[in-house]
Amino acid sequence: MEAVLSIVVGIFFSVAIYLMLSRYSIRILLGVAVLGNAVNLLLFTSGRLTREVPPIIGAGMDTLPADTANPLPQALILTAIVISFSFFCFLLVLTWRAFQELKTDDTDEMRKAEPAHEPLPPLGY
């Protein structure tokens, strides 16, 4: 099962990189969302996929048995889901406001919307 999920993670990363290299901001936004899901699935796969033994330390034991799932990646995934969703919402609002102002989601056309006669921003401080 872990080999199948590893292939799925690779496909997710490939799709995310392909979408993020696009010149349309909506595709970039979807690529960021798919990338977040790929990272979550990667963390989930790294914690061993087993359902037989719950990650509970029994009476008289000091450590978990060897065949239990690691609970730490599952806790990290919960945090990563919240962070990736808030980042997705921020990018969604940013994309929507850029579309309202510039009437396009093409990043090349957004670049042409810059004023031609104003000086360039400073390269450093």
Side-chain angles (χ1 to χ4, degrees):
M1 185 65 176
E2 289 164 350
V4 173
L5 282 179
S6 298
I7 292 170
V8 171
V9 167
I11 291 170
F12 273 18
F13 273 112
S14 300
V15 168
I17 290 171
Y18 175 76
L19 287 173
M20 288 173 32
L21 290 175
S22 176
R23 57 185 245 191
Y24 297 102
S25 58
I26 293 297
R27 288 184 183 174
I28 296 170
L29 179 66
L30 291 175
V32 168
V34 171
L35 182 68
N37 289 331
V39 170
N40 290 341
L41 192 58
L42 177 69
L43 286 173
F44 182 70
T45 306
S46 71
R48 279 184 255 127
L49 303 174
T50 179
R51 296 173 45 185
E52 288 81 25
V53 181
I56 298 173
I57 298 175
M61 298 176 65
D62 292 334
T63 61
L64 286 172
D67 57 345
T68 59
N70 188 359
L72 182 63
Q74 297 172 8
L76 289 174
I77 291 170
L78 290 175
T79 305
I81 288 170
V82 172
I83 292 171
S84 65
F85 182 70
S86 62
F87 186 61
F88 175 75
C89 290
F90 171 73
L91 288 179
L92 185 65
V93 170
L94 187 67
T95 303
W96 176 249
R97 288 294 298 144
F99 180 75
Q100 281 181 335
E101 290 292 321
L102 301 173
K103 306 293 187 237
T104 185
D105 70 336
D106 188 358
T107 56
D108 289 341
E109 291 179 16
M110 288 179 182
R111 179 92 176 153
K112 293 176 186 173
E114 294 176 357
H117 301 293
E118 289 190 13
L120 293 174
L123 297 176
Y125 292 102

